[in-house]
Amino acid sequence: MSPLNPLNDPSVVYLRAMLGTRLARLRSSTERGRGASAIEWAIITAILALIAITIGAVIQKKITDKADSIKTG
């Protein structure tokens, strides 16, 4: 690894090659029909975000209720 250029590190070179291969596969016309469209990904992301927010709210409510039940004085 060159101290002046961290992009020559073997792990970075491998990562760039792997990403390049995946991008080339995504751009190929034979595989465009596979996978989810942008709208589907947006819907999936929104659902996952909603689940995460709900879980966070439930945890916060339980912690707040428990903290309020502790007698301090």
Side-chain angles (χ1 to χ4, degrees):
M1 180 173 98
S2 170
L4 299 177
N5 190 359
L7 295 178
N8 287 335
D9 183 54
S11 59
V12 175
V13 171
Y14 173 76
L15 180 63
R16 288 173 54 194
M18 185 177 67
L19 288 174
T21 302
R22 288 188 180 259
L23 284 173
R25 203 177 326 151
L26 286 173
R27 290 180 182 145
S28 72
S29 61
T30 59
E31 295 191 16
R32 287 191 188 221
R34 291 181 44 192
S37 69
I39 298 296
E40 291 168 329
W41 279 115
I43 293 169
I44 291 168
T45 303
I47 291 171
L48 292 175
L50 183 62
I51 291 170
I53 290 169
T54 303
I55 291 171
V58 169
I59 291 171
Q60 181 180 6
K61 176 76 171 141
K62 287 185 180 275
I63 290 172
T64 303
D65 290 345
K66 186 65 176 176
D68 290 342
S69 71
I70 297 173
K71 297 189 189 277
T72 58

